[in-house]
C-alpha cells in the first residue's frame, strides 16, 4: 500500500475503532483504463478493470487471508435527484467487513499492491471511499 494510504488508513482506524464497518465506494471510470506500461493483466474498459481485475484480485487476496468481505450492493448510478449540480458517479459499491482492521490487512499485502491496486488506479478517474458503522 502506498505510504499516503497507510497514513490515511491508520488515522481512519483510530476513529472507526473495532467491530463491523460498511464501506461505500463511489466510482467514476476511465475509458479506456490507464495501466502502467509493464502491467500484463490489462482489461479493455474501466468497468472491467474494476470489477474483473481489481475486485477479482481483492476477493482472492481476502480469501487467502481468511477475511470476509461481504458485497452488500453494486449498481450503476442512474440519477442524482437532489441537488441537481452534484457530481455524477458511474457506480456505487457497498461492502461490509468484520472490522476495519480486516480491510487494512488486505490492502497492506504485497499481493494487493501488485495484483489489485494497479487495476483500481487504471480503472478509476475519480473515487470516494466512505466508512460507515452499522
Amino acid at each position: 500500500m502506498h505510504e499516503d494510504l497507510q497514513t490515511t488508513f491508520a488515522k481512519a482506524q483510530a476513529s472507526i475503532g473495532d467491530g463491523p464497518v460498511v464501506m461505500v465506494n463511489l466510482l467514476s471510470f476511465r475509458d479506456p483504463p490507464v495501466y502502467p506500461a509493464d502491467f500484463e493483466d490489462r482489461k479493455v474498459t474501466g468497468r472491467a478493470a474494476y470489477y474483473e481485475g481489481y475486485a477479482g484480485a481483492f476477493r482472492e487476496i481476502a480469501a487467502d487471508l481468511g477475511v470476509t468481505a461481504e458485497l452488500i450492493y453494486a449498481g450503476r448510478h442512474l440519477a442524482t435527484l437532489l441537488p441537481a449540480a452534484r457530481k455524477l458517479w458511474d457506480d456505487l459499491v457497498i461492502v461490509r467487513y468484520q472490522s476495519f482492521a480486516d480491510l487494512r490487512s488486505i490492502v497492506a499485502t504485497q499481493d494487493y499492491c501488485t495484483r489489485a491496486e494497479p487495476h483500481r488506479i487504471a480503472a478509476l478517474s475519480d473515487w470516494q471511499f466512505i466508512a460507515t458503522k452499522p
Side-chain angles (χ1 to χ4, degrees):
M1 177 172 30
H2 291 101
E3 183 97 15
D4 56 334
L5 283 178
Q6 288 179 15
T7 302
T8 298
F9 273 55
K11 287 179 184 175
Q13 179 74 59
S15 65
I16 293 168
D18 297 328
V21 63
V22 176
M23 302 302 296
V24 178
N25 297 265
L26 304 176
L27 312 172
S28 289
F29 298 113
R30 293 181 220 247
D31 275 314
V34 179
Y35 284 103
D38 60 345
F39 193 76
E40 294 181 12
D41 186 29
R42 295 168 179 257
K43 306 299 179 194
V44 176
T45 67
R47 188 171 264 112
Y50 186 82
Y51 288 109
E52 296 169 22
Y54 175 72
F58 190 96
R59 279 190 304 271
E60 290 173 7
I61 296 163
D64 290 347
L65 294 173
V67 171
T68 301
E70 178 189 358
L71 176 64
I72 302 297
Y73 177 81
R76 292 182 186 219
H77 175 243
L78 298 178
T80 298
L81 304 179
L82 296 169
R86 289 285 182 171
K87 175 175 178 51
L88 300 179
W89 299 100
D90 294 318
D91 284 16
L92 294 86
V93 176
I94 303 171
V95 180
R96 179 182 305 141
Y97 299 88
Q98 297 295 323
S99 69
F100 190 71
D102 282 351
L103 171 60
R104 284 184 71 190
S105 72
I106 295 167
V107 299
T109 65
Q110 184 59 38
D111 210 15
Y112 176 87
C113 291
T114 59
R115 291 182 50 220
E117 190 173 42
H119 285 296
R120 180 182 56 78
I121 293 169
L124 300 176
S125 62
D126 199 5
W127 172 49
Q128 284 190 355
F129 195 41
I130 303 163
T132 69
K133 289 288 242 178

